[in-house]
Amino acid sequence: MSGFLGALADAWAEIRVHKLRVLLSLIGIAVSVAALTAVIAFSEYQKQFQAEQSDRWGGRAATIAISPFAEDGTPVGVEAFDERFQRVGERFGFSHTSRNVQGLTLPVQLSEGVTQVPARLVDPDFAQIHREQLLEGRGFRDGDIEALAPPVIISEPLWDRLGRVPLAQHPTISVLGDAGGTYQVVGVTPRQGVWDEEPRVDVLYESYLTRVDGLPEGAMPVYEVWVGQEQASEIGPVLAMDLRTGLPDGQGISVNRTDWAAQPGAEIAMATFELVTGGIAVVILALGALSLINIQLVAMRQRVREIGVRRAFGATSGRVFFSVLLESLVATTVAGIIGIAIVVAVLRSDLVVPQMFSGMQDVPPFPMRAAIIGLIASVAVGAIAGFIPALVALRVKVIDAIRF
């Protein structure tokens, strides 16, 4: 133990003596370890960002979609199936369920005239299942069904055409036709991209049905259930069997998962992305290690006299080997810690992650896996970069110091 501490003390003394050389050689290591840590951390953020983007289309993991249909193409009794779905849902105790009807249009009175606006009928839980984000306002609530002016959520392009009236002033839209009336705007969804200029409106499913006798011809809700991912494989078949029991002849249902985790190759795609980014980080680190090895070998040639004198005063081969090895090991470890600390400070601020992954709701904390891998990499690089110069130091003899 005393020999190890002595070698460690010698290594620290050498670092203090050769400050400039050590500083120049370790800048590259600190940058390389920081790059490795940042790449691994970004891969974690990217996985979360991709998962959330997929959630907005197919629902969170795991979302089960139920679609009733008639084998002969005739309309399915929506009210009867609603009651069936509610009874089955109560038995299972689902926390989040929603109906979703798309493909509708509503005639909306705008300043330029009546415009057919694409509409979607949803339940309040739809926003939770699909991670719906709002630019302004709030989402639907259970009590909104009783409102005299039914609430609606509109898209940002439609809000622009309404003059971007602040929601605090309770703006409304006028809908004509069978579902006609005044609707209060309670929320605004952001544009999906710079190309998005389509006006859209979301209406509560029950609020729509209170104003019309039924859904338009050809419209049929998709029933969605959000359950635990580990329970989906067990709940799905039982749910399908319960819903099919007692269905009228000629009717059926399709039950399937729509979330990203159920898609073939989803996990493989994310693993491939992490492998590619990890490979880039390893290449960056290898370049930094090669630079450090070159600097250490050049420095070792200049330390022949020093090593020879130490051998003349009784330093053993092991003491010389470990002092040179630990010199590199300690230096790269300190450089790695500095590089990791800088990355952690930058990524935990509000300057990088929110800007690069705009719209991500559940921003994960800085992944400790990235910091640990970065620290292990810095130690490994120090060991590799110090091993070769340490072998060179072992070959130095006392006579070499005299010749030098």
Side-chain angles (χ1 to χ4, degrees):
M1 185 65 180
S2 60
F4 174 78
L5 293 177
L8 187 61
D10 291 343
W12 181 250
E14 288 297 331
I15 292 175
R16 294 179 60 187
V17 171
H18 304 283
K19 294 179 181 178
L20 181 60
R21 174 177 60 81
V22 172
L23 178 63
L24 292 177
S25 62
L26 294 183
I27 288 177
I29 295 300
V31 172
S32 299
V33 172
L36 173 65
T37 305
V39 166
I40 296 174
F42 274 124
S43 70
E44 294 290 334
Y45 292 131
Q46 180 66 23
K47 287 169 62 177
Q48 177 66 21
F49 181 73
Q50 288 181 341
E52 291 192 7
Q53 291 295 99
S54 299
D55 289 348
R56 293 187 177 97
W57 294 102
R60 298 177 188 246
T63 298
I64 301 176
I66 301 100
S67 301
F69 62 89
E71 296 178 355
D72 58 1
T74 58
V76 176
V78 176
E79 294 183 1
F81 194 85
D82 273 346
E83 295 178 0
R84 175 185 297 273
F85 179 78
Q86 290 176 5
R87 288 196 306 268
V88 173
E90 289 174 358
R91 289 204 301 270
F92 280 91
F94 295 131
S95 60
H96 294 80
T97 62
S98 176
R99 291 161 295 186
N100 174 18
V101 180
Q102 301 195 34
L104 304 181
T105 59
L106 294 177
V108 178
Q109 180 67 54
L110 300 177
S111 58
E112 62 269 25
V114 178
T115 303
Q116 294 292 331
V117 176
R120 181 174 59 179
L121 310 181
V122 297
D123 287 323
D125 283 344
F126 182 86
Q128 286 291 326
I129 296 175
H130 288 269
R131 287 187 183 272
E132 287 285 319
Q133 284 187 307
L134 294 180
L135 179 67
E136 296 284 345
R138 64 169 178 86
F140 292 131
R141 300 169 182 166
D142 291 333
D144 288 339
I145 299 174
E146 301 175 0
L148 296 179
V152 293
I153 297 175
I154 64 176
S155 64
E156 187 177 1
L158 181 55
W159 192 34
D160 289 339
R161 296 170 72 169
L162 295 177
R164 298 184 78 94
V165 179
L167 299 189
Q169 298 181 13
H170 308 291
T172 60
I173 60 172
S174 296
V175 177
L176 307 178
D178 295 338
T182 300
Y183 293 76
Q184 180 181 344
V185 178
V186 297
V188 178
T189 57
R191 281 183 169 85
Q192 298 179 8
V194 294
W195 44 265
D196 184 11
E197 293 296 335
E198 181 185 36
R200 294 180 301 277
V201 59
D202 287 348
V203 183
L204 274 173
Y205 184 90
E206 293 292 346
S207 297
Y208 179 86
L209 290 185
T210 57
R211 300 201 170 196
V212 298
D213 295 332
L215 294 175
E217 184 178 355
M220 188 66 196
V222 175
Y223 299 79
E224 294 180 325
V225 179
W226 178 26
V227 299
Q229 189 171 353
E230 59 281 350
Q231 301 173 343
S233 59
E234 300 176 1
I235 292 178
V238 179
L239 177 62
M241 182 177 62
D242 286 358
L243 289 174
R244 290 190 179 106
T245 302
L247 275 179
D249 293 339
Q251 289 190 9
I253 60 169
S254 64
V255 179
N256 55 74
R257 285 180 56 179
T258 58
D259 57 279
W260 63 270
Q263 304 304 317
E267 295 289 346
I268 297 176
M270 289 194 174
T272 302
F273 173 80
E274 186 173 359
L275 185 63
V276 171
T277 55
I280 295 173
V282 169
V283 171
I284 295 173
L285 188 62
L287 294 176
L290 289 175
S291 175
L292 180 60
I293 291 174
N294 289 332
I295 293 176
Q296 291 286 72
L297 288 175
V298 172
M300 190 53 59
R301 291 187 177 182
Q302 299 175 354
R303 296 175 60 187
V304 171
R305 183 183 297 277
E306 171 197 336
I307 301 298
V309 170
R310 291 176 62 183
R311 296 294 297 273
F313 278 90
T316 63
S317 298
R319 180 68 174 265
V320 172
F321 178 85
F322 281 107
S323 63
V324 175
L325 178 64
L326 288 176
E327 178 184 342
S328 175
L329 198 62
V330 171
T332 55
T333 302
V334 173
I337 292 174
I338 294 174
I340 293 170
I342 293 174
V343 171
V344 172
V346 171
L347 294 187
R348 291 188 64 179
S349 67
D350 296 331
L351 302 176
V352 179
V353 175
Q355 299 298 324
M356 293 189 64
F357 303 100
S358 177
M360 186 162 60
Q361 292 179 334
D362 300 332
V363 179
F366 184 87
M368 290 303 299
R369 183 173 70 97
I372 293 173
I373 291 177
L375 183 60
I376 293 175
S378 64
V379 174
V381 167
I384 295 173
F387 183 77
I388 298 177
L391 289 179
V392 174
L394 281 181
R395 301 177 60 184
V396 175
K397 302 178 182 179
V398 177
I399 191 64
D400 293 331
I402 300 175
R403 291 174 180 172
F404 189 82

